[in-house]
Amino acid sequence: MLEKVLPHAMLKAKPKLESRIRTLKRDWTIVYDMLSGKDNSGFGWNEHRQMVVVEDVSHKATGQFRHRSFPYYDQLTSIYAKDRANGKDAQTIADIVEEIDSEDIAI
């Protein structure tokens, strides 16, 4: 489609779109984990400004989102949240690595 509109521009939309989707998903994951993760005390969401609100400014996880709005959070949550594990069987990466290490030691 882009080739039809701008035939001599030699633009490649697919890699750029895929890159943008990966970036949005990564950013959404960070914000979602801040708001809904295990260590989420002190985090909140300002609906009007579309920003993460933090009680303790020393949280390292809020670095890029402390002063930057994330207007697509609600839409991306409706897309990606259903794919996230939650509840008693949910595991973090640290849990998985610890489990693999304990299995290696047992063998």
Side-chain angles (χ1 to χ4, degrees):
M1 183 170 131
L2 190 59
E3 182 64 33
K4 290 179 184 176
V5 177
L6 301 168
H8 301 292
M10 296 175 46
L11 296 174
K12 300 205 184 285
K14 187 175 180 179
K16 293 190 185 309
L17 291 174
E18 289 172 348
S19 174
R20 180 65 177 146
I21 289 170
R22 278 192 305 274
T23 302
L24 283 172
K25 186 172 183 178
R26 184 196 68 221
D27 290 350
W28 172 83
T29 301
I30 293 169
V31 173
Y32 184 81
D33 288 343
M34 278 191 266
L35 299 174
S36 305
K38 288 182 179 179
D39 301 322
N40 65 345
S41 63
F43 292 103
W45 181 252
N46 183 330
E47 191 67 39
H48 176 69
R49 295 176 66 195
Q50 300 289 301
M51 295 176 75
V52 174
V53 179
V54 185
E55 290 177 7
D56 183 10
V57 197
S58 67
H59 275 292
K60 295 176 187 174
T62 62
Q64 65 179 335
F65 295 102
R66 189 177 304 143
H67 304 290
R68 187 178 112 198
S69 68
F70 192 61
Y72 306 111
Y73 178 73
D74 293 330
Q75 293 90 343
L76 292 173
T77 299
S78 65
I79 295 169
Y80 294 125
K82 63 182 177 253
D83 294 335
R84 297 286 301 238
N86 55 24
K88 66 181 176 93
D89 295 327
Q91 292 182 320
T92 64
I93 293 173
D95 296 336
I96 295 168
V97 169
E98 183 178 321
E99 183 179 323
I100 291 170
D101 288 344
S102 66
E103 288 174 2
D104 288 344
I105 291 171
I107 293 175

